[in-house]
């Protein structure tokens, strides 16, 4: 029987890129504050802590309130 001439292949090892925590923290804080502001406008605006007068904000986020389970009427 003939010998095989195919050499075994070597699989290169993959090392994940390291992200410094200092680069992630400012973005995490920014998006966290943004989510809290959006949650306020969807869940609490037009109530006792209303920032804006009128019904405009309520009408803009009306469907989102129902989708997230907030009662609004």
């Amino acid at each position: 029987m003939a010998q095989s001439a195919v050499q075994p292949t070597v699989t290169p090892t993959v090392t994940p890129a390291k992200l410094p925590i200092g680069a992630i923290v400012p973005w995490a804080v920014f998006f966290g504050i943004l989510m809290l502001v959006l949650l306020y406008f969807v869940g609490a605006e037009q109530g006792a802590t209303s920032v804006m007068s009128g019904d405009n904000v309520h009408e803009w986020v009306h469907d989102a309130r129902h989708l997230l389970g907030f009662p609004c009427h």
Side-chain angles (χ1 to χ4, degrees):
M1 182 163 245
Q3 294 182 355
S4 175
V6 178
Q7 297 292 329
T9 59
V10 178
T11 306
T13 58
V14 178
T15 57
K18 295 182 180 182
L19 291 173
I21 296 296
I24 297 173
V25 169
W27 288 104
V29 169
F30 171 72
F31 284 113
I33 291 172
L34 182 65
M35 290 300 116
L36 286 174
V37 168
L38 288 174
L39 181 64
Y40 168 76
F41 277 110
V42 170
E45 181 64 21
Q46 302 298 331
T49 61
S50 179
V51 173
M52 298 179 183
S53 62
D55 289 336
N56 291 334
V57 174
H58 175 82
E59 294 302 324
W60 291 339
V61 297
H62 185 88
D63 293 335
R65 288 179 184 213
H66 290 296
L67 181 66
L68 295 173
F70 288 101
C72 63
H73 20 177

